[in-house]
Amino acid sequence: TIGAEGLGMEHGRELLLADGDAACVEAVLATLGDPQASAERARVAADYVRARLTWSRLSERLARVWREVSGLG
């Protein structure tokens, strides 16, 4: 789950989170075992990325952080 921190995505909605070997195997099997749910999760994740993680949105966030930490914001 640490690899998804800060993304704002939800387990089961945009992605499957798995900590450890057993959980990873379970997530892979769930993905392979339900292609419709996997396709829907992929669609929702792609929509999320297109809406929130564009270069312009990310650069705005980064500029805001730089201004805040530099005392200029």
Side-chain angles (χ1 to χ4, degrees), residues 1-9 48 53 61:
T1 55
I2 196 166
E5 281 185 8
L7 291 178
M9 293 182 170
Y48 181 94
L53 301 178
R61 288 174 53 195

Side-chain angles (χ1 to χ4, degrees), residues 7 10 19 21 25-26 31 38 42-44 47 53 55-56 65 68:
L7 291 178
E10 183 181 315
D19 290 325
D21 297 344
V25 168
E26 187 176 315
T31 299
S38 298
R43 186 195 61 74
V44 171
D47 289 348
L53 301 178
W55 283 116
S56 62
V65 169
E68 288 174 8

